[in-house]
Amino acid sequence: MKFRKDLSRPEDTRLNMTAMIDIVFQLLAFFIITFRITAQETDFTIKMPLQAQGSPTEVIPDLIQVTLRSNESRNIAAIEVDNMLTQDRFEGPDMYNQLTNFVERTLAGNGDPTTANDVEVEFIIDSPLRYRYTIMAIESVSGRILPDGSTKKLIEKIKFRNQ
Amino acid sequence: MKFPIKKRTAVQEVDLTPMIDMTFQLIAFFMILINFSDSERSEEIKLPTSALAKPPKDLLDYKIILNVDEDGSVLMDGLKIANIDLLNPLFSREINQAQREGKSPQQITVILRGHEDSKTGDLQRLMAKCQENELENFLLRVKERK
């Protein structure tokens, strides 16, 4: 006697995974190879309209001029500052901190803290100076990192005097 | 004589499910982290570092990325340009493209990626060249310092 095949039992169907695993590993390899760990990039904003050049001492009441002096090895030699009332010259390893202090004193001297936003810094830079020292100076006038890790903002308006 | 009975080895099947799960998770991780927008960065440029610079606020509609090499050469759109006067046609192209969409040159942001040892004067000359082309908004790009 011939028994009928039991149709209720499903057949053991197995998918062939080989192709999928192949392509998945290729994708994985692609992403691993193209992956790069880089530090985040940040920006300093500089607005320099064309009409501002050539007339650096025109009516800007709150202007701090910062001159960066370079030495023969293109490193920073000195920072000269002028806020139209006082001039100073900073040298040595602490010069950037002194620059921040000077900016703070100038802003405090203005009295009204709301006018601090109007104060502008104009940089006059020796051409050969390494760019990193310029960025350090911009950082010094932009703000200060307080001991608790917070940031105290100082100057936002920064421009360069064209050579 | 007694012959040894050959045992039929069963087909060993490894359970691939955890491996596939893990692999898909790794792919998802790398896919999320991949950033094709950085393709305009030049790897030759070692940016100066700063702890106070601000992260980019949002995606800029109109931007020109200028990489300045240690020797003062400008890298723009994959071209290395030693004489900055040759940048004028490239600027004009970008400005025309923005103007066709109703934007003025003042609305274009120039992102300057200067090498930390490049001469500041080279970057200033480049900024002056941008100003000649009515480009006046600049972002000095630096690397975040923790």
Side-chain angles (χ1 to χ4, degrees):
Chain A
M1 186 181 162
K2 194 176 180 185
F3 291 97
R4 288 181 60 191
K5 199 177 176 183
D6 185 4
L7 292 173
S8 63
R9 260 182 79 185
E11 278 182 38
D12 191 11
T13 52
R14 285 177 185 274
L15 284 173
N16 188 359
M17 306 284 268
T18 320
M20 190 190 75
I21 293 169
D22 280 354
I23 203 81
V24 162
F25 273 118
Q26 283 198 28
L27 279 171
L28 188 61
F30 169 76
F31 286 116
I32 290 173
I33 290 163
T34 55
F35 182 65
R36 280 177 303 168
I37 301 168
T38 50
Q40 191 185 1
E41 293 189 356
T42 50
D43 297 318
F44 283 111
T45 307
I46 310 274
K47 193 171 169 71
M48 292 200 354
L50 193 59
Q51 62 268 23
Q53 64 173 309
S55 51
T57 52
E58 66 180 354
V59 194
I60 303 169
D62 298 315
L63 180 73
I64 304 172
Q65 283 185 343
V66 179
T67 308
L68 305 181
R69 296 286 178 214
S70 163
N71 60 20
E72 284 176 2
S73 53
R74 293 174 52 218
N75 295 327
I76 187 90
I79 300 174
E80 293 165 11
V81 289
D82 182 359
N83 64 1
M84 306 301 151
L85 293 170
T86 52
Q87 291 90 40
D88 214 336
R89 181 183 168 91
F90 310 128
E91 288 179 8
D94 198 36
M95 64 177 104
Y96 285 105
N97 199 25
Q98 289 178 292
L99 173 62
T100 309
N101 292 340
F102 180 84
V103 171
E104 272 184 324
R105 282 200 303 276
T106 305
L107 295 179
N110 279 359
D112 183 5
T114 57
T115 59
N117 291 335
D118 299 329
V119 180
E120 195 170 6
V121 168
E122 182 184 56
F123 280 102
I124 304 153
I125 305 167
D126 282 353
S127 178
L129 185 70
R130 290 176 201 268
Y131 181 53
R132 72 173 89 157
Y133 297 110
T134 304
I135 291 295
M136 285 166 73
I138 293 172
E139 189 180 45
S140 300
V141 302
S142 299
R144 178 195 285 286
I145 296 175
L146 301 172
D148 65 352
S150 60
T151 306
K152 181 184 178 186
K153 276 187 187 174
L154 295 173
I155 304 279
E156 289 191 341
K157 291 183 180 173
I158 295 166
K159 66 177 182 179
F160 293 106
R161 184 188 288 185
N162 285 355
Q163 295 171 336
Chain B
M1 185 181 163
K2 194 176 180 183
F3 291 98
I5 300 164
K6 276 189 182 174
K7 284 186 180 173
R8 282 184 65 190
T9 50
V11 179
Q12 296 264 327
E13 291 206 0
V14 182
D15 186 10
L16 294 173
T17 320
M19 192 191 71
I20 292 168
D21 284 353
M22 202 60 221
T23 314
F24 272 118
Q25 285 199 29
L26 283 170
I27 287 179
F29 171 76
F30 286 113
M31 274 177 82
I32 289 163
L33 288 186
I34 200 164
N35 191 355
F36 289 108
S37 66
D38 293 344
S39 55
E40 285 158 312
R41 289 181 184 180
S42 172
E43 293 302 316
E44 297 163 28
I45 308 296
K46 190 180 175 201
L47 295 178
T49 59
S50 170
L52 284 176
K54 297 168 193 161
K57 281 179 193 164
D58 41 28
L59 288 173
L60 300 162
D61 286 342
Y62 295 96
K63 63 181 177 186
I64 297 173
I65 298 180
L66 299 173
N67 295 281
V68 182
D69 210 348
E70 196 177 348
D71 61 2
S73 304
V74 180
L75 288 99
M76 182 183 173
D77 292 343
L79 298 169
K80 189 167 183 174
I81 298 153
N83 179 2
I84 60 168
D85 287 329
L86 299 174
L87 285 167
N88 283 333
L90 296 173
F91 286 156
S92 301
R93 191 190 65 195
E94 297 288 339
I95 290 166
N96 288 340
Q97 199 173 340
Q99 282 173 336
R100 272 199 295 275
E101 295 180 37
K103 303 284 180 185
S104 64
Q106 288 79 21
Q107 289 171 289
I108 300 174
T109 304
V110 179
I111 298 172
L112 287 175
R113 299 181 80 253
H115 191 285
E116 63 176 7
D117 287 330
S118 59
K119 289 179 187 172
T120 304
D122 289 337
L123 280 114
Q124 284 184 281
R125 275 188 285 280
L126 186 57
M127 287 166 98
K129 180 57 69 182
C130 292
Q131 285 178 307
E132 283 174 25
N133 288 277
E134 299 178 66
L135 302 166
E136 58 183 46
N137 289 313
F138 299 94
L139 291 178
L140 303 184
R141 190 142 279 185
V142 295
K143 198 158 268 189
E144 189 179 33
R145 187 176 66 235
K146 300 279 182 190

